[in-house]
Amino acid sequence: MYASGMRWIATASAVAALAGSGILLSAGGAAAANPGPQPGGSAQQAPAAAPAAQPMSKVVANGGVWIHQEANTTSKRLGLLPMGMATAPKCKKIGQSVGGNRIWYKLGAGKEGWVSARYVQNLSRVPYCN
């Protein structure tokens, strides 16, 4: 349990540190509980719903990960994301297998292209592309 708690703290710290970098659009946090009725008889209104958090991931490959035009390694390379960089993928799809992993992430946050999930660690849920 201790290691799990520390991992959560480290992830939360990384999210907070990267939130101002311009790479991440937003970071989701824990929702505040809606308190019950207050003395005096009236219940507090629930806060307005926050916008959905952008999915987040982090590059874990030592040399970084290539951004490709399509979800395969033979398509044009558009750039390189360095190790440790946080990304905000829009969605994922099945593509060419890389090291046994067929998932590819479509980049978001103003970046174009696809990266192999083999070299990216999820920090939150990424939906499948339509």
Side-chain angles (χ1 to χ4, degrees):
M1 172 122 175
Y2 177 74
S4 175
M6 292 301 294
R7 192 172 319 126
W8 184 87
I9 291 169
T11 300
S13 298
V15 168
L18 294 170
S21 70
I23 296 167
L24 301 176
L25 295 179
S26 65
N34 187 13
Q38 298 295 316
S42 65
Q44 280 187 330
Q45 281 187 312
Q54 180 77 18
M56 296 178 359
S57 59
K58 181 175 93 172
V59 177
V60 294
N62 284 335
V65 64
W66 285 108
I67 303 168
H68 288 272
Q69 192 169 16
E70 301 295 330
N72 61 63
T73 60
T74 58
S75 65
K76 181 180 177 183
R77 289 181 179 174
L78 303 176
L80 182 72
L81 295 178
M83 181 179 179
M85 177 174 260
T87 63
K90 281 184 184 178
C91 58
K92 63 185 174 185
K93 77 174 188 176
I94 303 296
Q96 177 189 6
S97 179
V98 177
N101 190 332
R102 293 185 48 118
I103 302 293
W104 285 72
Y105 297 120
K106 182 175 181 80
L107 296 179
K111 291 204 177 275
E112 294 293 323
W114 295 85
V115 293
S116 170
R118 170 67 176 93
Y119 302 111
V120 178
Q121 175 188 18
N122 281 341
L123 299 177
S124 64
R125 185 181 170 278
V126 179
Y128 276 95
C129 300
N130 292 331

